[in-house]
Amino acid sequence: MYLLARRFGVVAITLALAGCTTTPAEFNNKPAAVSKAALCKTALETQDPAFQFQLVSEVNRRGMSMLECEQMVAQQRQAAAVLVGLALVGTAAAVCANGNCGGGGYTPYRRYPGNCYSYYDRAADGSLCGNRSAMSRPGGWQ
């Protein structure tokens, strides 16, 4: 359930950021109602030169430059990337917390409580256990 909620959050953020543009009809209806973010993003992404001219004119009317628009859109994209990255890291951490991603070794008699039972097991950080393993130490694991 937790993973489903995180995935829904990522999808919602992605759709919200994708929706931060405006159409010619919305813009022509009431230019002042269009947010600065939507105005800048649309001005930078549109392929229609006439519509782009209208958008740049509105940006200038609001006292901004296109350089400021580019910086604003770049910051929004970076923030979106950070949010998506945090969501992915959080999801991975939740999966590992539930599924014991740290590795663990095969023990024929008893369950070893750590990650490094044998030389070929992987430690929690993903590295090979090698000589740190329980079986590599004198006396092995008791």
Side-chain angles (χ1 to χ4, degrees):
M1 186 65 165
Y2 178 73
L3 293 176
L4 183 64
R6 279 196 174 267
R7 287 182 184 160
F8 179 75
V10 169
V11 169
I13 290 170
T14 303
L15 290 176
L17 290 170
C20 289
T21 59
T22 186
T23 64
E26 292 171 346
F27 178 76
N28 290 329
N29 185 26
K30 192 169 183 184
V34 178
S35 70
K36 286 181 183 179
L39 192 66
C40 287
K41 188 169 186 207
T42 308
L44 293 170
E45 294 177 356
T46 187
Q47 299 297 317
D48 181 3
F51 184 45
Q52 186 177 35
F53 180 77
Q54 290 176 325
L55 293 167
V56 171
S57 297
E58 181 65 19
V59 166
N60 291 332
R61 189 191 67 75
R62 293 185 186 189
M64 295 175 57
S65 69
M66 287 308 292
L67 180 61
E68 291 171 323
C69 275
E70 289 175 7
Q71 292 170 346
M72 180 189 300
V73 171
Q75 286 175 346
Q76 288 175 343
R77 288 182 180 152
Q78 288 173 350
V82 167
L83 286 174
V84 171
L86 287 174
L88 290 174
V89 168
T91 302
V95 168
C96 282
N98 292 333
N100 189 16
C101 290
Y106 168 74
T107 56
Y109 305 110
R110 292 182 284 189
R111 176 94 173 117
Y112 182 66
N115 292 334
C116 289
Y117 177 74
S118 73
Y119 184 88
Y120 298 103
D121 286 337
R122 298 252 176 211
D125 64 353
S127 63
L128 278 175
C129 293
N131 292 331
R132 297 177 290 163
S133 70
M135 296 310 292
S136 297
R137 294 189 297 259
W141 175 62
Q142 303 301 329

